[in-house]
PDB file of all heavy atoms in Angstrom:
ATOM      1  N   ASP B 130      10.883  77.191-170.179  1.00 98.00           N
ATOM      2  CA  ASP B 130      12.004  76.253-170.077  1.00 98.00           C
ATOM      3  C   ASP B 130      11.603  75.023-169.259  1.00 98.00           C
ATOM      4  O   ASP B 130      11.870  73.883-169.650  1.00 98.00           O
ATOM      5  CB  ASP B 130      13.197  76.962-169.427  1.00 98.00           C
ATOM      6  CG  ASP B 130      14.465  76.137-169.481  1.00 98.00           C
ATOM      7  OD1 ASP B 130      14.816  75.678-170.586  1.00 98.00           O
ATOM      8  OD2 ASP B 130      15.097  75.943-168.426  1.00 98.00           O
ATOM      9  N   ASP B 132       8.689  73.817-168.827  1.00 98.00           N
ATOM     10  CA  ASP B 132       7.663  73.029-169.504  1.00 98.00           C
ATOM     11  C   ASP B 132       8.063  72.633-170.927  1.00 98.00           C
ATOM     12  O   ASP B 132       7.241  72.105-171.676  1.00 98.00           O
ATOM     13  CB  ASP B 132       6.338  73.808-169.523  1.00 98.00           C
ATOM     14  CG  ASP B 132       5.718  73.889-168.126  1.00 98.00           C
ATOM     15  OD1 ASP B 132       6.181  73.146-167.241  1.00 98.00           O
ATOM     16  OD2 ASP B 132       4.791  74.689-167.930  1.00 98.00           O
ATOM     17  N   ALA B 218      17.460  77.285-190.159  1.00 92.00           N
ATOM     18  CA  ALA B 218      17.710  75.877-189.844  1.00 92.00           C
ATOM     19  C   ALA B 218      18.311  75.789-188.455  1.00 92.00           C
ATOM     20  O   ALA B 218      19.019  76.700-188.024  1.00 92.00           O
ATOM     21  CB  ALA B 218      18.665  75.275-190.871  1.00 92.00           C
ATOM     22  N   ALA B 233      16.652  47.913-179.094  1.00 98.00           N
ATOM     23  CA  ALA B 233      16.106  48.402-177.819  1.00 98.00           C
ATOM     24  C   ALA B 233      14.587  48.348-177.846  1.00 98.00           C
ATOM     25  O   ALA B 233      13.946  48.022-176.834  1.00 98.00           O
ATOM     26  CB  ALA B 233      16.595  49.827-177.554  1.00 98.00           C
ATOM     27  N   ASP B 262      -2.233  60.660-181.013  1.00 98.00           N
ATOM     28  CA  ASP B 262      -2.911  59.587-181.752  1.00 98.00           C
ATOM     29  C   ASP B 262      -2.148  58.269-181.626  1.00 98.00           C
ATOM     30  O   ASP B 262      -2.742  57.213-181.401  1.00 98.00           O
ATOM     31  CB  ASP B 262      -3.065  59.972-183.234  1.00 98.00           C
ATOM     32  CG  ASP B 262      -4.149  61.028-183.431  1.00 98.00           C
ATOM     33  OD1 ASP B 262      -4.986  61.195-182.508  1.00 98.00           O
ATOM     34  OD2 ASP B 262      -4.148  61.683-184.488  1.00 98.00           O
ATOM     35  N   ALA B 346      19.367  63.137-171.922  1.00 95.00           N
ATOM     36  CA  ALA B 346      19.701  63.522-170.548  1.00 95.00           C
ATOM     37  C   ALA B 346      18.556  63.231-169.582  1.00 95.00           C
ATOM     38  O   ALA B 346      18.750  63.254-168.372  1.00 95.00           O
ATOM     39  CB  ALA B 346      20.065  65.001-170.488  1.00 95.00           C
ATOM     40  N   ALA B 381      -7.000  40.905-165.232  1.00 98.00           N
ATOM     41  CA  ALA B 381      -7.188  41.038-163.784  1.00 98.00           C
ATOM     42  C   ALA B 381      -6.714  42.414-163.317  1.00 98.00           C
ATOM     43  O   ALA B 381      -7.319  43.044-162.453  1.00 98.00           O
ATOM     44  CB  ALA B 381      -6.422  39.933-163.054  1.00 98.00           C
ATOM     45  N   GLU B 443      -8.732  66.268-175.453  1.00 98.00           N
ATOM     46  CA  GLU B 443      -7.912  66.608-176.616  1.00 98.00           C
ATOM     47  C   GLU B 443      -6.608  67.269-176.197  1.00 98.00           C
ATOM     48  O   GLU B 443      -6.577  68.046-175.235  1.00 98.00           O
ATOM     49  CB  GLU B 443      -8.677  67.567-177.539  1.00 98.00           C
ATOM     50  CG  GLU B 443      -9.926  66.965-178.137  1.00 98.00           C
ATOM     51  CD  GLU B 443      -9.659  65.647-178.835  1.00 98.00           C
ATOM     52  OE1 GLU B 443      -8.698  65.583-179.638  1.00 98.00           O
ATOM     53  OE2 GLU B 443     -10.381  64.676-178.569  1.00 98.00           O
ATOM     54  N   ALA B 470      -5.831  80.523-181.395  1.00 98.00           N
ATOM     55  CA  ALA B 470      -7.028  79.893-181.961  1.00 98.00           C
ATOM     56  C   ALA B 470      -7.579  80.745-183.104  1.00 98.00           C
ATOM     57  O   ALA B 470      -7.950  80.211-184.161  1.00 98.00           O
ATOM     58  CB  ALA B 470      -8.084  79.701-180.873  1.00 98.00           C
ATOM     59  N   ILE B 578     -15.861  86.516-164.289  1.00 98.00           N
ATOM     60  CA  ILE B 578     -16.827  86.197-163.235  1.00 98.00           C
ATOM     61  C   ILE B 578     -16.057  85.995-161.938  1.00 98.00           C
ATOM     62  O   ILE B 578     -15.145  85.180-161.863  1.00 98.00           O
ATOM     63  CB  ILE B 578     -17.629  84.908-163.534  1.00 98.00           C
ATOM     64  CG1 ILE B 578     -18.138  84.875-164.975  1.00 98.00           C
ATOM     65  CG2 ILE B 578     -18.801  84.797-162.545  1.00 98.00           C
ATOM     66  CD1 ILE B 578     -18.899  83.610-165.323  1.00 98.00           C
ATOM     67  N   GLU B 586     -12.262  75.330-148.539  1.00 96.00           N
ATOM     68  CA  GLU B 586     -12.193  74.109-149.346  1.00 96.00           C
ATOM     69  C   GLU B 586     -10.731  73.752-149.649  1.00 96.00           C
ATOM     70  O   GLU B 586      -9.915  74.626-149.948  1.00 96.00           O
ATOM     71  CB  GLU B 586     -12.975  74.296-150.654  1.00 96.00           C
ATOM     72  CG  GLU B 586     -13.114  73.039-151.491  1.00 96.00           C
ATOM     73  CD  GLU B 586     -13.922  71.936-150.807  1.00 96.00           C
ATOM     74  OE1 GLU B 586     -14.578  72.205-149.784  1.00 96.00           O
ATOM     75  OE2 GLU B 586     -13.876  70.790-151.294  1.00 96.00           O
ATOM     76  N   ASP B 606      -7.682  65.165-142.336  1.00 88.00           N
ATOM     77  CA  ASP B 606      -7.138  64.559-141.122  1.00 88.00           C
ATOM     78  C   ASP B 606      -6.178  63.405-141.427  1.00 88.00           C
ATOM     79  O   ASP B 606      -5.591  62.827-140.523  1.00 88.00           O
ATOM     80  CB  ASP B 606      -8.260  64.105-140.182  1.00 88.00           C
ATOM     81  CG  ASP B 606      -9.206  63.109-140.839  1.00 88.00           C
ATOM     82  OD1 ASP B 606      -8.861  62.616-141.936  1.00 88.00           O
ATOM     83  OD2 ASP B 606     -10.270  62.839-140.259  1.00 88.00           O
TER      84      ASP B 606
END
Side-chain angles (χ1 to χ4, degrees):
Chain B
D130 189 52
D132 289 347
D262 286 342
E443 296 307 312
I578 314 178
E586 187 64 12
D606 58 11

